[in-house]
Amino acid sequence: MTDYVIAPSILSANFAKLGEEVDQVLNDGADWVHFDVMDNHYVPNLTIGPMVCKALRDHGVTAPIDVHLMVEPVDRIIPDFAEAGASMITFHPEASKHVDRSLQLIRDHGCKSGLVFNPATPLTVLEWAIEKVDMILLMSVNPGFGGQSFIPFVKQKIVEARKLIDASGRNIRLEVDGGVKASNIGELAALGADTFVAGSAIFNQSDYASVINEMRSNISAATK
């Protein structure tokens, strides 16, 4: 039985009351908290750093915090997020000069490690790095901004990534981020994804619980 995870991205939350927003979405059925960390260098936007992660932990958030680093270079910031309370840290292979070293750095700091693939980035690096990967994150939009539409060809990439995971025999999560919503989450689960990042699809709604429940219902219907 696959354990499906819904990880709302706080990029779409109300930052004026972030602690309350995160408490609410977790109480309403979300599993993880997803951080989109952008540096205005690797991507054309600037968002949040380790202090926000630490603030949520100090606020009392105990759920896993899933940190997606859209920064270049990555090694300098990894220890800061680990110390701030991150549970898992993912980065883009093209943003690291030494992918194996960056993955090991995450693990050495007690976090689960993962790689992120932009829509047009091939999965070939996994041939050499999959032994140190706990999660593969497939971007289904080009990174930098929330609220974008799902890029259809990423569906085939989900299928290919699932084959690689199954062939490895390792317990690796397959996460999808970008344009994920209740209407397409079932299809993505049927293709092989098991972890779903949703920002505006959840935080732009008045009732988080109803959206999350609809997502779970659609996953269940598509994966029977």
Side-chain angles (χ1 to χ4, degrees):
M1 187 76 178
T2 303
D3 171 28
Y4 293 100
V5 167
I6 294 175
S9 169
I10 62 169
L11 185 64
S12 299
N14 180 351
F15 273 75
K17 50 178 184 177
L18 185 58
E20 297 171 40
E21 288 270 82
V22 171
D23 287 343
Q24 186 66 57
V25 81
L26 291 170
N27 288 338
D28 285 349
D31 302 293
W32 295 357
V33 181
H34 185 83
F35 268 55
D36 287 303
V37 182
M38 307 181 192
D39 66 353
N40 195 34
H41 177 67
Y42 179 71
V43 291
N45 199 357
L46 184 66
T47 58
I48 53 178
M51 287 187 293
V52 178
C53 183
K54 184 177 186 302
L56 286 179
R57 288 299 192 208
D58 290 345
H59 175 71
V61 172
T62 59
I65 293 180
D66 172 25
V67 175
H68 169 199
L69 297 179
M70 287 166 272
V71 305
E72 185 181 1
V74 298
D75 288 5
R76 168 61 188 84
I77 202 74
I78 285 169
D80 293 349
F81 266 103
E83 291 164 14
S87 307
M88 54 215 79
I89 299 175
T90 57
F91 65 93
H92 295 253
E94 59 267 45
S96 169
K97 292 186 182 297
H98 306 282
V99 172
D100 180 80
R101 177 183 292 164
S102 298
L103 287 168
Q104 189 60 51
L105 182 62
I106 295 170
R107 293 177 153 225
D108 287 346
H109 282 81
C111 298
K112 290 185 181 293
S113 58
L115 291 175
V116 190
F117 296 89
N118 289 329
T121 302
L123 299 173
T124 48
V125 70
L126 289 169
E127 182 179 354
W128 307 105
I130 201 162
E131 290 302 316
K132 290 184 179 176
V133 169
D134 299 302
M135 183 156 68
I136 296 168
L137 169 51
L138 300 181
M139 295 300 298
S140 39
V141 299
N142 289 297
F145 300 94
Q148 300 182 70
S149 297
F150 188 96
I151 295 174
F153 69 71
V154 176
K155 292 177 185 178
Q156 180 58 34
K157 208 169 187 182
I158 295 172
V159 173
E160 294 303 317
R162 173 49 59 191
K163 288 178 183 176
L164 288 171
I165 291 170
D166 291 347
S168 77
R170 299 188 63 246
N171 183 23
I172 300 171
R173 299 208 70 90
L174 179 53
E175 186 171 43
V176 180
D177 181 0
V180 175
K181 48 194 175 183
S183 60
N184 66 4
I185 198 168
E187 179 184 8
L188 304 181
L191 291 171
D194 54 40
T195 307
F196 306 93
V197 178
S200 55
I202 293 176
F203 282 114
N204 285 6
Q205 308 303 314
S206 57
D207 186 347
Y208 302 159
S210 66
V211 177
I212 293 169
N213 288 338
E214 184 182 1
M215 287 179 166
R216 293 201 189 281
S217 177
N218 291 347
I219 289 171
S220 179
T223 57
K224 283 181 178 177

